[in-house]
Every structure is written in structure tokens, then in C-alpha cells.
Amino acid sequence: QVQFVESGGGLVQPGGSLRLSCAASGGISGFYSMAWYRQAPGNQRELVALISGGAVDYVDSVKGRFTISRDNAKNTVYLQMHNLKPDDTAVYYCNTHPVERRYWGQGTQVTVSS
């Protein structure tokens, strides 16, 4: 059964950087488009970054600051985040795109605060 395990979150000051990792198990492959999503308290879960074939895309609020990448040999998807802002504070999740609800993991908490 497919599972995603997110890691790499933490507490950082504004302007700091983090790299999130998403380890996949259960037979997921590069056939699937993958994405990072985030959910802040009181907000809806939103798509942050998408990688589909050779193309990537981002929500406007993170363009120029975040980079999504994948290593299919390691079954891992990454999100490199620079110049973090307080509004980036959220639980970050990875999943396929379109999402499969049964694939949601526990997420990893990112907190940006001075």
C-alpha cells in the first residue's frame, strides 16, 4: 500500500531555509505527478508546488523562493524553501496530483517566527 512520509520541518526565523523530504513506499513510481500541499490553522489545504514530467509549477506566493524536485531512484520528493516568511507556517504534505485521499500522511510542521 502506498504511503508518504514527510520530514524536514522545523522552527526557523524569517528569511531562513528548510528542505523537506517526502519518502514514498508501496510501489509509487515516476509515472505519477507529485505535489507539495500545506495547511495552516483555519485555512484550507492548498497546492504549493507541482512536478509533472519535466515541468514544475508553484503557487504565486512561493515563486522564486521554493523549488520542488524528485529522485525517482530514491522514491523521494523534495521541497527546498528559501527566504521563509511567517505566512509559510503550516503543516506540509506530499501527495500525488491529483490527490489520492488514501495517500495522505502525517505531514511535517514548518514554523516561521522570530
Side-chain angles (χ1 to χ4, degrees):
Q1 186 172 9
V2 172
Q3 286 191 323
F4 297 128
V5 179
E6 300 92 344
S7 63
L11 173 64
V12 297
Q13 294 184 349
S17 299
L18 286 171
R19 189 177 75 159
L20 308 183
S21 297
C22 169
S25 64
I28 198 74
S29 75
F31 174 81
Y32 297 95
S33 298
M34 293 292 299
W36 284 94
Y37 306 81
R38 68 185 180 188
Q39 187 167 22
N43 292 344
Q44 294 184 349
R45 192 168 299 184
E46 67 171 344
L47 177 69
V48 177
L50 169 69
I51 184 164
S52 179
V56 296
D57 204 2
Y58 306 90
V59 68
D60 285 345
S61 60
V62 310
K63 286 182 178 177
R65 300 188 298 118
F66 291 11
T67 302
I68 186 172
S69 62
R70 70 192 302 172
D71 186 337
N72 289 334
K74 297 181 178 179
N75 295 321
T76 302
V77 184
Y78 303 96
L79 185 67
Q80 180 68 59
M81 306 184 294
H82 294 295
N83 193 23
L84 284 160
K85 302 177 179 181
D87 284 349
D88 297 319
T89 296
V91 179
Y92 285 70
Y93 304 86
C94 64
N95 207 323
T96 56
H97 186 271
V99 301
E100 289 282 356
R101 285 194 286 270
R102 67 185 185 276
Y103 293 168
W104 288 121
Q106 296 300 306
T108 186
Q109 176 72 50
V110 172
T111 302
V112 185
S113 177
S114 60

